[in-house]
Amino acid sequence: MYKFIKNSEFDVLIRIADNASIPFDPANTDYQAFKQAIADGAELQDADGNVVADAQAYVAGLP
Amino acid sequence: MSIANQGFPAFRADLNNALQALVSNSSGSTAPSTTFAYQFWIDTSASPNILKQRNADNDAWITIGSLNQSTDVFNLAIAQGGTGGATASDARTNLGLAIGTDVQAYSANLTTYASTGIGFRNRIINGAMVIDQRNAGASFAQTDGAYNLDRWSGDSWSGSSTTGKYTVQQSSTAPTGFNFSLKVTSSAATSSASSDLYTIKQKIEGYNTADLGFGTANAKTITISFWVRSSATGTFGGALKNSAGNKAYAFTYSISAADTWEQKSITIAGDTSGTWVGATNGMGLAVYWQLQVGSSNATSAGSWATGDYYGATGCVNLLTSNGATFYITGVQLEVGSSATSFDYRPYGTELALCQRYCYVTGGNSYSNFYSGFFNSTTDFQGPLIFPVTMRSAPTLTSTGNFQVISNSTFSASNLALGGPETTQMTAKINVNVSGATAGYGGTMRANNDTTAKLILSSEL
């Protein structure tokens, strides 16, 4: 599972299993795994722990 | 050489003697009774004869060289700047340059070195298992895909991700010429299954493999060499594969004696078809050493196969025995059809090569990580500069406890990369604090904790 935190200054992508912070870099293999996981149906949470309903649509708009 | 005032017959005899002495260079078995500065003398008492010349002070003879009357060859002595030899072979021997004894004849290996380069031949990074930033020599319970020693990772999979099957540790057990090895220890007796995928592997960046020309008619032959030791004996295996997972070359090697170091060499003709990543920061190729690979993930050894394979069929299943061990070091992948000596690089160079993929910082009670400022009363941020340009913007994980020291100290938590400022060269890291003053500067550091570390990973 992943958590996406968006605030006024920056966006943060967290892999919940190990609290890893993943950059939005298409060459980063953790980021590639995140996009693949969401495409495969993995859960994406917001900063408050709520499941993001349109995760796949959101990820489709990422680099 | 002076002729006395005398009668003509005696004068004639003296003159003839003087002329004969001149034209024969005073040759004789004894030195001329009367000598002059710069006078020549061929000493016929020695064999070969010796050509000498009187010195300027006319008080000694200088040896110039020898005249071999059998071969009719003049030799200049070494002391006079010559070789002392009548033939090229004698000259080399006299000068201490005998081929095969003092110097080596031209070797075809020189052609290989000329084409592949003498340094930086090895495409494997940390092949001598010297660098272990993540675990610093501690045992690591392998999880699927996780990295253990620098640049080395493992598969732990049997239909789904598994844990607790084997550990990996940097070991000081090593063959002569090496100080470390990568040690695998089976953690349980794991029954073999067709879907098993337990391996040790290294993925190599495309920038470091593009010149191999795989996928083209000019694909180069490569050789993989390594030292290996295991508690088990028999046929072991591994594989080379592309990033797309549709071309693989399985290989086998034999371990004939238990718990004994053996060096192995595998030569593979480059793949002239298939899709291989070129000069990019993606994965160029991956090399696998199988610990236990089931039939679904294995193929016949010795040729390129189309498919996603990680090893050869019919090999030892190491993990079926709890406590079984497997050591490997001195791993080299190079261009050419034969293995050359291990390409030992300076420690600092090897570390820098590893840090392109993983940078671990910390380890002291108050290790300083980066300086920055309080963006608000609850947020501190600043840039962490990497020692080398990383392969991609890295993922950040951390261990231990942190604090920010400023006008006071503030416990820090929830480390996170802050947005697009994180690149291959620097990361902006935000941490949560409480009760700070916005605008103040400070330094993020370990909070009296030697386990406090930042781990930045851009592995393949």
Side-chain angles (χ1 to χ4, degrees):
Chain A
M1 289 193 300
Y2 296 86
K3 177 179 285 190
F4 177 68
I5 303 171
K6 187 176 181 67
N7 64 30
S8 58
E9 190 197 2
F10 57 85
D11 300 340
V12 175
L13 178 61
I14 301 293
R15 184 171 57 207
I16 295 173
D18 59 356
N19 212 33
S21 182
I22 300 171
F24 295 83
D25 181 351
N28 182 292
T29 53
D30 293 317
Y31 182 69
Q32 293 168 3
F34 155 72
K35 294 186 72 174
Q36 184 62 51
I38 298 301
D40 293 341
E43 189 174 282
L44 179 63
Q45 299 178 356
D46 64 18
D48 298 322
N50 302 312
V51 176
V52 176
D54 55 348
Q56 294 187 1
Y58 163 70
V59 169
L62 294 176
Chain B
M1 190 61 74
S2 61
I3 297 176
N5 187 13
Q6 56 190 325
F8 182 75
F11 172 84
R12 180 172 177 272
D14 278 357
L15 180 61
N16 284 336
N17 288 337
L19 291 173
Q20 185 173 354
L22 282 173
V23 298
S24 67
N25 290 320
S26 301
S27 61
S29 59
T30 59
S33 56
T34 301
T35 59
F36 304 91
Y38 307 113
Q39 176 184 4
F40 285 112
W41 168 40
I42 296 176
D43 182 358
T44 61
S45 66
S47 180
N49 301 160
I50 300 173
L51 174 62
K52 300 178 179 180
Q53 185 173 30
R54 202 66 178 169
N55 65 0
D57 297 331
N58 191 24
D59 56 5
W61 292 98
I62 298 171
T63 297
I64 295 175
S66 63
L67 297 162
N68 190 314
Q69 303 302 334
S70 298
T71 59
D72 298 331
V73 171
F74 172 78
N75 294 335
L76 188 61
I78 294 174
Q80 273 67 50
T83 68
T87 65
S89 177
D90 289 346
R92 286 193 295 267
T93 300
N94 292 344
L95 294 172
L97 297 171
I99 294 174
T101 301
D102 306 301
V103 298
Q104 297 304 312
Y106 166 78
S107 167
N109 286 337
L110 295 175
T111 303
T112 300
Y113 293 145
S115 63
T116 63
I118 293 176
F120 284 83
R121 284 170 286 119
N122 194 0
R123 310 307 172 93
I124 296 288
I125 295 175
N126 199 25
M129 315 300 176
V130 173
I131 312 294
D132 186 19
Q133 291 186 87
R134 294 176 181 83
N135 302 302
S139 178
F140 174 71
Q142 186 68 48
T143 56
D144 188 50
Y147 279 79
N148 38 69
L149 274 63
D150 276 67
R151 295 302 297 122
W152 293 94
S153 60
D155 292 306
S156 184
W157 178 275
S158 186
S160 61
S161 179
T162 65
T163 58
K165 302 301 185 184
Y166 68 97
T167 61
V168 177
Q169 185 171 20
Q170 184 189 48
S171 170
S172 59
T173 298
T176 301
F178 295 90
N179 295 295
F180 299 100
S181 64
L182 182 155
K183 178 186 179 184
V184 171
T185 304
S186 173
S187 303
T190 301
S191 299
S192 61
S194 61
S195 59
D196 280 352
L197 180 53
Y198 299 102
T199 70
I200 291 297
K201 63 186 176 183
Q202 181 161 139
K203 297 177 179 178
I204 306 175
E205 188 175 351
Y207 282 126
N208 297 333
T209 60
D211 68 299
L212 302 180
F214 281 19
T216 74
N218 298 317
K220 296 177 180 175
T221 295
I222 62 168
T223 295
I224 304 169
S225 56
F226 51 95
W227 285 88
V228 66
R229 163 184 167 146
S230 177
S231 60
T233 59
T235 301
F236 287 68
L240 188 76
K241 58 175 284 190
N242 66 351
S243 62
N246 54 21
K247 288 302 293 284
Y249 184 104
F251 60 82
T252 59
Y253 58 95
S254 176
I255 294 181
S256 55
D259 301 320
T260 304
W261 283 106
E262 300 176 21
Q263 188 178 28
K264 306 299 175 185
S265 177
I266 315 290
T267 296
I268 300 172
D271 184 27
T272 55
S273 62
T275 303
W276 294 83
V277 166
T280 75
N281 61 351
M283 189 189 90
L285 61 84
V287 192
Y288 294 77
W289 282 261
Q290 61 193 92
L291 305 173
Q292 187 159 307
V293 171
S295 57
S296 298
N297 296 311
T299 187
S300 299
S303 62
W304 286 101
T306 299
D308 195 15
Y309 300 112
Y310 302 80
T313 54
C315 292
V316 168
N317 289 318
L318 186 80
L319 305 185
T320 57
S321 176
N322 187 15
T325 56
F326 176 87
Y327 297 84
I328 188 168
T329 193
V331 184
Q332 182 151 294
L333 189 157
E334 61 192 306
V335 172
S337 56
S338 61
T340 62
S341 61
F342 185 75
D343 185 12
Y344 242 117
R345 295 182 282 246
Y347 179 88
T349 300
E350 202 72 46
L351 176 61
L353 292 174
C354 292
Q355 286 175 328
R356 176 168 172 78
Y357 307 91
C358 179
Y359 170 45
V360 178
T361 178
N364 292 329
S365 299
Y366 293 99
S367 294
N368 279 222
F369 298 106
Y370 62 90
S371 294
F373 68 100
F374 293 102
N375 187 46
S376 68
T377 59
T378 59
D379 178 71
F380 177 84
Q381 64 179 240
L384 175 68
I385 311 299
F386 310 143
V388 302
T389 300
M390 301 193 75
R391 187 193 64 84
S392 70
T395 297
L396 168 69
T397 54
S398 61
T399 61
N401 300 297
F402 301 88
Q403 66 179 194
V404 174
I405 181 169
S406 179
N407 58 323
S408 182
T409 56
F410 303 86
S411 293
S413 60
N414 297 330
L415 281 68
L417 298 174
E421 293 91 336
T422 295
T423 68
Q424 292 173 267
M425 302 184 71
T426 181
K428 190 189 88 170
I429 301 177
N430 292 72
V431 296
N432 290 152
V433 296
S434 177
T437 302
Y440 276 31
T443 298
M444 221 286 281
R445 67 179 190 178
N447 187 356
N448 191 23
D449 186 355
T450 57
T451 70
K453 295 181 180 179
L454 304 183
I455 302 105
L456 295 117
S457 172
S458 61
E459 296 283 6
L460 286 160

